[in-house]
Amino acid sequence: ACGTGMKRLRFRIALVVILIVVGWLGLRQYEESWLSTPLPALQQPIVFQLPAGASLTAVAASLEEAGWLDRPSVWIRHAKRTGGATRIKAGEYLLQPGTTPAGLLQQFVTGSVLLHALTIPEGWTFRQALAAIQANPAVVVEFAGLSQDEMMKRLGLAGRHPEGLFFPDTYRFPRGTSDRELLQLAQTRLEEELASAWRKRKPKLPLSTPYEALILASLVEKETGAPDERPLIAGVFVNRLRIGMRLQTDPSVIYGIGESFDGNLRR
């Protein structure tokens, strides 16, 4: 009787263990299925701001309150299990339709934040570029009210004139980037591009520095909007420089007149 009782006890224990294992495996299978299924509430792109210093629990609560995450506890367990709970990065995120809970966590961990675009067109003056940068709603303005000399000093370019030192291009950046950081990025890009062009210059040009080449190139660009005419105009300017003649080009006068230019040069 004692042996029979022990067998029954062992059987019951084994049955309980099996049920626990089966239940655990079922729960894990359910969670894995949910983690890999697109979030149903994301029917259109949504911008979500993940605040600096926010805990994973707080982020999950915000997502649940907005109606975008329906199983926050499962999402938190997954994050802790994969080591992502303490590695989420603050920023502005674009949540796209088709995003899964697992993909959402991965987006937060890798810091794949929403990037804003700002274009500095060719031919713009420094004043125009700065105004466009500071007017962008995603940019933090540090240089408000500062003089040109003070801005150049803070950029590490003390004593230099800002004109032509910032490369015209389209820049992509996360919200919260400052005007100083964007100008530093554009200035670094300009130095790289200018150095590359200077290395490829033809020999015996009447230009002593890369910056002089940049000034001449800007004048040529402003003189004509037709790319096929630029080599001819550049040749004329180079010949005038070689004989010490004035360039006699409208863009240089227009630039000197500045904002008071009315669109007509009379003399």
Side-chain angles (χ1 to χ4, degrees):
C2 182
T4 302
M6 288 300 296
K7 288 181 180 178
R8 289 176 178 175
L9 178 61
R10 286 195 295 268
F11 173 77
R12 289 172 181 172
I13 292 174
L15 182 60
V16 170
V17 170
I18 291 172
L19 290 174
I20 290 173
V21 171
V22 170
W24 181 82
L25 289 175
L27 178 62
R28 283 298 304 273
Q29 184 177 10
Y30 161 76
E31 290 187 353
E32 291 300 325
S33 175
W34 178 81
L35 288 165
S36 60
T37 301
L39 293 167
L42 286 179
Q43 298 298 316
Q44 59 185 6
I46 298 295
V47 175
F48 176 73
Q49 183 71 41
L50 200 162
S55 67
L56 184 75
T57 301
V59 172
S62 296
L63 291 169
E64 182 186 23
E65 184 178 353
W68 302 329
L69 190 68
D70 58 347
R71 300 286 188 276
S73 59
V74 176
W75 191 68
I76 291 172
R77 280 200 299 272
H78 169 68
K80 291 179 178 179
R81 189 166 56 243
T82 58
T86 59
R87 295 190 290 121
I88 58 174
K89 297 176 177 62
E92 187 180 35
Y93 291 87
L94 181 63
L95 311 185
Q96 296 280 12
T99 299
T100 65
L104 179 65
L105 178 66
Q106 182 67 16
Q107 191 174 354
F108 291 162
V109 169
T110 58
S112 302
V113 296
L114 173 64
L115 296 181
H116 298 265
L118 184 145
T119 299
I120 301 176
E122 295 182 358
W124 267 18
T125 63
F126 173 73
R127 183 172 56 251
Q128 289 173 307
L130 180 63
I133 290 172
Q134 293 182 334
N136 191 294
V139 173
V140 173
V141 177
E142 292 185 11
F143 285 172
L146 296 184
S147 68
Q148 184 173 286
D149 290 341
E150 181 61 26
M151 282 188 281
M152 295 303 286
K153 182 179 179 181
R154 295 194 184 189
L155 288 169
L157 302 168
R160 297 186 66 179
H161 195 284
E163 217 61 74
L165 293 186
F166 305 95
F167 193 76
D169 202 353
T170 295
Y171 294 92
R172 298 188 178 278
F173 58 94
R175 179 177 293 276
T177 301
S178 68
D179 50 0
R180 174 185 54 80
E181 291 170 320
L182 281 173
L183 287 172
Q184 287 176 328
L185 181 64
Q187 202 278 322
T188 299
R189 177 76 185 282
L190 185 281
E191 294 294 341
E192 294 171 350
E193 295 288 341
L194 188 55
S196 175
W198 183 250
R199 287 192 298 268
K200 299 173 184 177
R201 72 188 185 281
K202 290 185 178 181
K204 298 181 180 179
L205 287 176
L207 303 168
S208 57
T209 66
Y211 193 60
E212 287 186 355
L214 179 65
I215 294 171
L216 184 59
S218 298
L219 292 172
V220 171
E221 182 182 55
K222 280 291 189 179
E223 184 69 20
T224 177
D228 58 333
E229 294 178 358
R230 288 173 185 163
L232 176 61
I233 293 173
V236 170
F237 285 167
V238 166
N239 288 334
R240 289 178 181 178
L241 287 171
R242 280 178 174 149
I243 63 176
M245 178 181 173
R246 292 178 178 178
L247 293 183
Q248 296 179 329
T249 178
D250 290 352
S252 62
V253 180
I254 293 170
Y255 176 78
I257 294 174
E259 291 183 342
S260 60
F261 177 60
D262 62 4
N264 184 25
L265 286 182
R266 296 173 181 79
R267 60 179 181 177

